[in-house]
Amino acid sequence: QVQLQESGPGLVKPSETLSLTCTVSGASVSSNYCSWIRQPPGEGLEWIGYISYSGTTDYNPSLKSRVTISVDTSKNQFSLKLSSVTAADTAVYYCARGPASTYFDYWGQGTLVAVSS
Amino acid sequence: QSVLTQPPSTSGTPGQRVTISCSGSSSNIGSNYVYWYQQLPGTAPKLLIYRTNQRPSGVPDRFSGSKSGTSASLAISGLRSEDEADYYCAAWDDSLSALVFGGGTKVTVL
């Protein structure tokens, strides 16, 4: 059974960097596409980006200058860093994986990150 | 404003068939696969349809996806109370070089 679990601070100050980690069990992070998606409270879904099994990354152009996604195969984890955050970055952040870069068959439960001083 | 346009809401009675539309353009739905997700209240989205009309194992055949031109549809037949959820379409957009989502459709079972 594949499971994903997000972890990280639930509160980040404006202008600082949001950092989240996704721990994967039941599957290897090296064998699929690992992605991050976010959902502001009461709103729809927004794709952030992915890292592929070969280490290739691709990011949403609207966030590209601020996003880094990386993988730690030794811990079977992948991570998200989003710099220079503002209140507009307040959202539930989901990690997900999939057999292709464009869809996700397993999701984490999501973690709410609020940006506030 | 979402790149893919969905109706905000739709409803039906148990047993009815409901259809959710997802309107896009030649750079997304018109040239790429469409995906559909179901999000029950307070939970993570769940993949319902991939590659426009394929169902993952475990998804009932009451759910079906289709596409025509730059629009796609999700049909739910034999509507059940447990189908009450938000539904999102998604597709890769070649012009934006991004995966884009619709704004979501809330399905209410009356």
Side-chain angles (χ1 to χ4, degrees):
Chain A
Q1 177 74 358
V2 179
Q3 293 185 318
L4 292 83
Q5 178 68 58
E6 305 88 350
S7 59
L11 181 64
V12 181
K13 290 182 167 54
S15 80
E16 294 189 344
T17 296
L18 179 160
S19 295
L20 295 173
T21 296
C22 181
T23 301
V24 181
S25 58
S28 170
V29 292
S30 322
S31 60
N32 281 279
Y33 290 82
C34 297
S35 304
W36 290 94
I37 301 100
R38 70 180 183 179
Q39 184 172 33
E43 298 185 24
L45 301 166
E46 180 180 29
W47 173 71
I48 298 172
Y50 71 79
I51 185 164
S52 75
Y53 52 85
S54 64
T56 303
T57 55
D58 196 11
Y59 304 130
N60 190 323
S62 68
L63 299 169
K64 192 170 186 174
S65 63
R66 300 193 291 131
V67 173
T68 302
I69 296 176
S70 59
V71 67
D72 185 338
T73 55
S74 67
K75 296 181 180 178
N76 217 35
Q77 296 175 333
F78 63 102
S79 299
L80 168 70
K81 290 189 185 301
L82 180 66
S83 64
S84 305
V85 297
T86 69
D89 294 310
T90 293
V92 174
Y93 285 76
Y94 294 101
C95 63
R97 56 137 269 184
S101 61
T102 52
Y103 71 102
F104 323 106
D105 53 1
Y106 289 97
W107 295 65
Q109 66 185 26
T111 187
L112 175 62
V113 179
V115 178
S116 174
S117 55
Chain B
Q1 195 81 337
S2 301
V3 174
L4 304 181
T5 301
Q6 298 180 236
S9 63
T10 190
S11 62
T13 56
Q16 259 190 329
R17 173 186 168 94
V18 296
T19 302
I20 301 169
S21 62
C22 176
S23 177
S25 67
S26 58
S27 63
N28 42 64
I29 292 177
S31 52
N32 293 300
Y33 291 122
V34 180
Y35 306 91
W36 290 92
Y37 296 90
Q38 176 194 59
Q39 187 174 33
L40 298 171
T43 69
K46 169 190 171 184
L47 181 66
L48 270 187
I49 298 288
Y50 68 100
R51 292 179 183 161
T52 303
N53 56 18
Q54 302 299 302
R55 278 187 311 276
S57 64
V59 173
D61 60 6
R62 302 187 294 105
F63 295 92
S64 62
S66 63
K67 180 177 90 167
S68 178
T70 59
S71 290
S73 295
L74 173 72
I76 310 173
S77 59
L79 192 65
R80 297 185 177 185
S81 58
E82 58 260 38
D83 298 333
E84 194 159 280
D86 293 324
Y87 293 82
Y88 293 91
C89 60
W92 183 261
D93 190 294
D94 294 327
S95 296
L96 297 174
S97 294
L99 183 70
V100 292
F101 286 91
T105 298
K106 182 175 182 60
V107 171
T108 300
V109 182
L110 301 171

